[in-house]
């Protein structure tokens, strides 16, 4: 069983380890060389706004094992607007499970928690070609492909 909570500054090292693993596997990609520092800065800004009770369009969820209280995964969601500037959907920008916890249903449980926590919201997620596990997870949870680029990046949507 997992507990879902908002991330804090103490979670940043755990998240950055998963981001590094994701870059190595090709699941995450940053065109510029300082991509890791950019991600870290963005995550720190989000957690600082949480601490100061400042509204933010980003939701950094940490998933802890109930028994050990140790984090096993994270997800970063961002509110997106349509061309008219109105809120249109939530984008799952990053999603990762610790390597030693993969294949145990944790990713499915995390995604179900996100879906349950966002009733009535349309959810979208884009996956690079190496993200086959995430693509299978999304498809198995009712997401449908709404776009595929020539490079193979697929965007999935779940209507709210």
């Amino acid at each position: 069983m997992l507990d879902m909570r908002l991330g804090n500054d103490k979670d940043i090292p755990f998240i950055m380890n998963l981001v590094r693993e994701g870059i190595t596997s090709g699941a995450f990609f940053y065109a510029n060389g300082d991509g890791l520092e950019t991600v870290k800065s963005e995550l720190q800004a989000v957690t600082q706004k949480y601490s100061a009770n400042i509204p933010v369009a980003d939701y950094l969820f940490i998933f802890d094992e109930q028994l050990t209280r140790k984090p096993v995964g994270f997800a970063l969601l961002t509110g997106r607007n349509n061309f008219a500037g109105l809120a249109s959907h939530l984008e799952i920008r990053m999603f990762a499970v610790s390597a030693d916890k993969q294949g145990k249903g944790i990713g499915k449980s995390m995604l179900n928690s996100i879906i349950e926590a966002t009733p009535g919201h349309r959810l979208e997620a884009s996956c690079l070609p190496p993200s086959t596990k995430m693509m299978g997870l999304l498809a198995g949870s009712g997401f449908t492909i709404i776009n595929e680029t020539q490079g193979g990046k697929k965007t999935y949507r779940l209507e709210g």
Side-chain angles (χ1 to χ4, degrees), residues 81-101:
N81 295 333
N82 62 18
F83 293 112
L86 302 174
S88 66
H89 68 280
L90 291 171
E91 178 186 1
I92 302 172
R93 285 182 44 205
M94 300 181 93
F95 187 100
V97 176
S98 296
D100 63 328
K101 301 295 181 184

Side-chain angles (χ1 to χ4, degrees), residues 34-54:
D34 64 346
L36 279 175
E37 283 305 312
T38 301
V39 170
K40 185 176 182 181
S41 295
E42 288 176 2
L43 295 173
Q44 288 171 328
V46 169
T47 59
Q48 289 166 1
K49 288 179 182 177
Y50 289 166
S51 296
N53 289 321
I54 297 172

Side-chain angles (χ1 to χ4, degrees), residues 20-34:
R20 281 184 200 89
E21 290 172 9
I23 290 170
T24 300
S25 74
F28 299 140
F29 174 78
Y30 297 96
N32 55 1
D34 64 346

Side-chain angles (χ1 to χ4, degrees), residues 14 20-21 26 38 43-44 50 61 63 74 76 83 86 90-91 99 104 109 113 119 127 135 150-151 155 158 160:
F14 166 76
R20 281 184 200 89
E21 290 172 9
T38 301
L43 295 173
Q44 288 171 328
Y50 289 166
F61 294 118
F63 297 86
F74 83 97
L76 177 64
F83 293 112
L86 302 174
L90 291 171
E91 178 186 1
K104 300 177 180 179
S109 179
S113 294
C127 297
M135 288 184 222
Q150 286 184 339
T155 302
L158 179 70

